[in-house]
Amino acid sequence: MSLFRKILPIFLTLIILIIASVVILHYGHTLPGRVATHFGSSGQPNGWMTRAEIIQVSLLFQWGFALLLPTLMAIIRFLPSEYINVPNANYWRMPENFIRGLNFLFFYSFWLCVLDAIFTIGIFLLMVDANRNLPVVINGKAMFLLLGAFLLGILIWIIRLILYFRNEGSEK
């Protein structure tokens, strides 16, 4: 894996998290004191937080997931190779390939962080928009479009992960 392919997802994760933090802080302060934060299938609110709580929770979730996933990928380095379940397990459990596979998992996990950060800031912006409406209602079409794009991104991420390990680390 080239240096560029290692650095790009880390760089994008940091840039998107910084942008997300600015968006949360900027738009968060425009919210009313009591903010609808959870919505039922009809788009009507059924959960509330204070403005300060939603800003704190949003920032914590954005940065928390971005730190948690790569940290978990770094921690599995200390597990015995037989505990790691991947396609072509005999190949990937050989010591020289095990480290290469772990490195791939670590750097590849940042792409999921990018996807998650984009999704969660999208959810935040939909929530901001919903709280500007009277009555408060979330845009269901936009929510399902965002959710569909997120799920498609996860599917692509998983397929790429499986193919990497199935093809013995080939970048094809």
Side-chain angles (χ1 to χ4, degrees), residues 66-139:
L67 293 172
L68 177 67
L69 188 59
T71 299
L72 290 174
M73 293 300 119
I75 289 172
I76 66 170
R77 207 171 270 288
F78 300 104
L79 293 175
S81 62
E82 59 268 11
Y83 292 158
I84 309 298
N85 187 15
V86 294
N88 291 330
N90 290 334
Y91 175 84
W92 287 107
R93 288 181 181 150
M94 292 189 306
E96 63 274 10
N97 298 330
F98 186 64
I99 296 300
R100 188 165 55 102
L102 292 175
N103 286 337
F104 175 80
L105 280 175
F106 176 75
F107 290 107
Y108 193 61
S109 70
F110 283 96
W111 286 113
L112 190 56
C113 292
V114 167
L115 183 63
D116 177 71
I118 292 169
F119 175 69
T120 54
I121 198 61
I123 294 291
F124 180 83
L125 290 172
L126 285 173
M127 187 246 345
V128 168
D129 182 60
N131 280 276
R132 289 182 176 165
N133 299 324
L134 287 175
V136 174
V137 63
I138 198 158
N139 182 335

Side-chain angles (χ1 to χ4, degrees), residues 136-152:
V136 174
V137 63
I138 198 158
N139 182 335
K141 290 180 184 177
M143 173 65 89
F144 283 113
L145 183 63
L146 181 62
L147 180 60
F150 178 66
L151 292 175
L152 178 62

Side-chain angles (χ1 to χ4, degrees), residues 11 20 23 33 66 90 166:
F11 178 75
V23 166
N90 290 334
R166 181 173 288 158

Side-chain angles (χ1 to χ4, degrees), residues 19-32 35-39 49-62 116-132 138-139 142-143 146:
I19 291 169
S21 297
V22 169
V23 166
I24 290 166
L25 291 170
H26 173 73
Y27 287 105
H29 290 290
T30 68
L31 290 167
V35 181
T37 57
H38 190 269
F39 300 84
M49 287 185 183
T50 66
R51 176 180 36 232
E53 288 171 338
I54 191 59
I55 291 171
Q56 291 169 356
V57 167
S58 296
L59 288 171
L60 180 66
F61 190 80
Q62 282 287 344
D116 177 71
I118 292 169
F119 175 69
T120 54
I121 198 61
I123 294 291
F124 180 83
L125 290 172
L126 285 173
M127 187 246 345
V128 168
D129 182 60
N131 280 276
R132 289 182 176 165
I138 198 158
N139 182 335
M143 173 65 89
L146 181 62

Side-chain angles (χ1 to χ4, degrees), residues 6-28:
K6 290 179 180 180
I7 292 175
L8 180 63
I10 296 171
F11 178 75
L12 286 176
T13 299
L14 287 173
I15 294 299
I16 291 170
L17 287 172
I18 291 168
I19 291 169
S21 297
V22 169
V23 166
I24 290 166
L25 291 170
H26 173 73
Y27 287 105

